[in-house]
Amino acid sequence: RDFLKKNKLTMDEEYDVVVLGTGITECILSGLFSVSGRKVLHMDRNNYYGAECASLNLEQVWEQFGESGEPDSALGNIRRYNIDMIPKFLMATGKLVKILLHTDVTRYLEFKSVDGSYVLKKGKVHKVPASEREALSSKLMGMFEKRRFAEYLSYASSFNINDPKTHKNITASTTTAEMLRKYKLDNSTKDFVGHALGLYTDESWLSKPAFETNERVKLYADSLSHYGNSPYLYPLYGLGDLPQGFARLSAIYGGTYMLDKPIDGVELSSGRVVGVRSGSEVVKCSAVIGDPSYFPDKVEQYGEVVRCICLMDHPIPNTNNSESCQIILPQNQIGRGNDIYISCVSFAHNVAPNGMYIAIVSTTVETSNPNEELEAGISLLGPVMKSFYSVKPLYRPINNPEEDGIFISSSYDATSHFGSICEDVINLFQMYTGEEDVSYILVPKEQQTE
């Protein structure tokens, strides 16, 4: 953290952009802005990185959730824990990995593949088949359904949106539902195609373009081909190092950081932001980016997410003794309007004492008893030694950043992957820069210089 000491400057200077909060969205943007030559000041009211998506040791979690007494000694060394408050996995060839390669933040982090990806069908946990060979041996489907699914998977895996020869009579106007009818897949198979492979969050995916669904399934299959067991990666020592990695990047390119800095509001002139107030100080800027907690009058609540952190001394049953895994419970399989997500990591990723596992179950709240809504997921875990429940509001911006120069990120949803966060990053970066095409942030540095 030496870069913090070097950059503890006064607030007398003027900046292109002030970033508020050190959540992963804000830190990625701070890094991207600094690399692109903007003068950035990054502030956080907290004295630690990560904001809502921090990784905490067990002592900090105990305090965060208001637990009394001391943690049970059976849970092991409390300082060996790095528990993510917002659990997410990275798709091996997904957009976040591409941004990491573009910015070279990978030099600050070490990743390990996640052991397995699973889905619930008729009350049983099954490994998600993502190759023709796996599909034909999977217990997820009957004999004839296996062949139909393998045929679709072969098609989607070779799909190239820029090569009409791979489209097989599917056009830009063909919906996903129309395409899948050609393969005669049953409803259960459609469930895991859409929710476990395509990572859609609701049933509207069936009305989306078939091209989009094919590209999502292809991304899953391509990511899987990199490591074999699952398409997902997870950083050693937890997600807390991700924000810090992008903070280091920003500092290298001249970004200034101030933690533990009170934020008292923004200064406006003719309706547009011109500065940020902290006590008696005002730092001048032409734009502000931050998480919803800094702009309560410019966001709306659109729902809630409930999460349960579960500490265990064993792997999740029926996952082939996986030291890490994801399980998706599609909404149709559990009679809900939203999927339930389970992410499990362990000592193998240096986030828990030897022999301990951390499973986090999450979903979007639908009733007045959110904790009970997780029961379908928690019941799959086996014995749990300690659990921590939380319910967090979901916010999204309602302001017009073109008018006021304030760019606000959205809350972190219940999904166990970075899909929605990356879309938010790209959208905010594009709105701020005004560039029509920002796909260059997804191109690794080596390829840009070729």
Side-chain angles (χ1 to χ4, degrees):
R1 301 194 181 186
D2 290 342
F3 59 88
L4 271 179
K5 298 174 185 176
K6 295 174 184 174
N7 281 326
K8 282 195 172 180
L9 307 177
T10 66
M11 292 174 64
D12 296 339
E13 300 184 47
E14 185 168 349
Y15 296 85
D16 294 319
V17 58
V18 172
V19 181
L20 302 179
T22 53
I24 184 61
T25 304
E26 287 70 37
C27 285
I28 293 174
L29 287 167
S30 179
L32 289 172
F33 292 142
S34 297
V35 169
S36 63
R38 272 79 174 185
K39 188 175 181 180
V40 178
L41 171 62
H42 201 149
M43 306 164 72
D44 196 317
R45 64 168 75 93
N46 299 308
N47 61 1
Y48 56 86
Y49 281 98
E52 275 198 12
C53 49
S55 296
L56 307 178
N57 65 40
L58 188 54
E59 183 178 31
Q60 293 168 320
V61 170
W62 214 258
E63 182 179 345
Q64 177 102 347
F65 287 87
E67 295 286 335
S68 58
E70 299 290 328
D72 191 324
S73 60
L75 297 173
N77 186 337
I78 60 177
R79 298 193 178 277
R80 292 290 301 276
Y81 284 93
N82 280 302
I83 301 173
D84 299 327
M85 295 297 98
I86 308 288
K88 302 281 182 183
F89 289 144
L90 291 79
M91 190 73 81
T93 59
K95 290 178 179 176
L96 181 54
V97 169
K98 289 177 179 178
I99 293 173
L100 286 164
L101 292 170
H102 170 77
T103 55
D104 207 19
V105 170
T106 47
R107 60 183 152 168
Y108 305 124
L109 303 164
E110 187 175 351
F111 291 90
K112 183 179 171 71
S113 64
V114 173
D115 284 349
S117 180
Y118 296 82
V119 66
L120 186 77
K121 179 185 177 183
K122 295 181 179 178
K124 292 185 177 181
V125 174
H126 299 269
K127 189 177 189 303
V128 176
S131 68
E132 293 175 70
R133 186 181 218 176
E134 279 196 3
L136 294 173
S137 62
S138 173
K139 296 180 180 178
L140 193 57
M141 300 161 283
M143 182 185 302
F144 295 112
E145 186 68 4
K146 287 178 183 179
R147 297 193 177 279
R148 289 190 289 266
F149 171 70
E151 184 183 356
Y152 166 69
L153 192 60
S154 174
Y155 159 64
S157 298
S158 61
F159 181 83
N160 182 343
I161 197 167
N162 297 314
D163 182 2
K165 293 180 182 178
T166 67
H167 297 177
K168 293 189 177 179
N169 299 320
I170 300 298
T171 69
S173 61
T174 305
T175 67
T176 297
E178 291 168 340
M179 174 186 67
L180 293 182
R181 273 199 292 272
K182 296 182 180 182
Y183 290 92
K184 300 179 181 178
L185 301 180
D186 68 25
N187 288 334
S188 293
T189 305
K190 290 176 185 175
D191 274 346
F192 77 77
V193 167
H195 295 265
L197 298 181
L199 300 178
Y200 287 103
T201 58
D202 57 43
E203 289 305 277
S204 67
W205 73 281
L206 289 166
S207 61
K208 292 186 182 297
F211 280 12
E212 178 186 315
T213 298
N214 287 340
E215 289 201 302
R216 282 173 171 248
V217 173
K218 180 178 172 61
L219 170 62
Y220 189 103
D222 287 349
S223 295
L224 183 79
S225 68
H226 277 59
Y227 298 101
N229 292 325
S230 88
Y232 298 109
L233 302 174
Y234 183 79
L236 293 179
Y237 303 104
L239 292 177
D241 280 352
L242 268 177
Q244 291 194 54
F246 281 99
R248 291 188 183 99
L249 173 75
S250 179
I252 287 171
Y253 283 87
T256 301
Y257 274 76
M258 294 182 178
L259 297 184
D260 201 16
K261 189 74 173 173
I263 308 298
D264 298 312
V266 296
E267 294 281 314
L268 301 174
S269 177
S270 301
R272 190 168 183 84
V273 69
V274 293
V276 175
R277 291 193 313 276
S278 176
S280 60
E281 299 176 292
V282 176
V283 61
K284 295 177 182 178
C285 62
S286 54
V288 174
I289 291 173
D291 70 55
S293 69
Y294 290 93
F295 310 100
D297 60 332
K298 294 183 180 293
V299 296
E300 66 176 2
Q301 183 176 344
Y302 67 95
E304 294 178 311
V305 58
V306 56
R307 297 183 179 91
C308 183
I309 300 168
C310 300
L311 306 183
M312 311 179 300
D313 60 0
H314 59 84
I316 297 176
N318 304 308
T319 61
N320 196 31
N321 292 318
S322 294
E323 293 175 340
S324 56
C325 68
Q326 173 187 258
I327 307 174
I328 293 180
L329 287 62
Q331 57 197 64
N332 289 333
Q333 295 293 319
I334 49 177
R336 288 177 48 80
N338 294 276
D339 296 351
I340 292 178
Y341 299 88
I342 302 173
S343 60
C344 180
V345 289
S346 69
F347 61 94
H349 283 87
N350 298 334
V351 295
N354 192 39
M356 295 300 293
Y357 294 73
I358 304 167
I360 304 182
V361 187
S362 57
T363 192
T364 302
V365 174
E366 298 177 7
T367 71
S368 58
N369 296 306
N371 291 4
E372 292 181 8
E373 296 184 48
L374 295 178
E375 185 53 37
I378 292 173
S379 66
L380 301 175
L381 302 182
V384 174
M385 299 175 71
K386 181 63 182 177
S387 57
F388 307 88
Y389 285 88
S390 66
V391 178
K392 299 287 187 182
L394 293 169
Y395 294 108
R396 59 190 171 202
I398 55 173
N399 67 314
N400 183 350
E402 290 184 3
E403 293 179 358
D404 59 19
I406 298 173
F407 301 81
I408 307 170
S409 61
S410 297
S411 299
Y412 303 112
D413 62 20
T415 60
S416 53
H417 52 83
F418 276 95
S420 57
I421 292 176
C422 287
E423 291 305 319
D424 201 23
V425 166
I426 293 168
N427 183 46
L428 288 167
F429 186 79
Q430 191 169 29
M431 283 196 296
Y432 171 80
T433 61
E435 298 172 5
E436 287 188 19
D437 183 7
V438 297
S439 59
Y440 61 87
I441 68 173
L442 303 177
V443 179
K445 271 187 174 180
E446 297 81 3
Q447 292 182 25
Q448 281 189 315
T449 55
E450 288 176 1

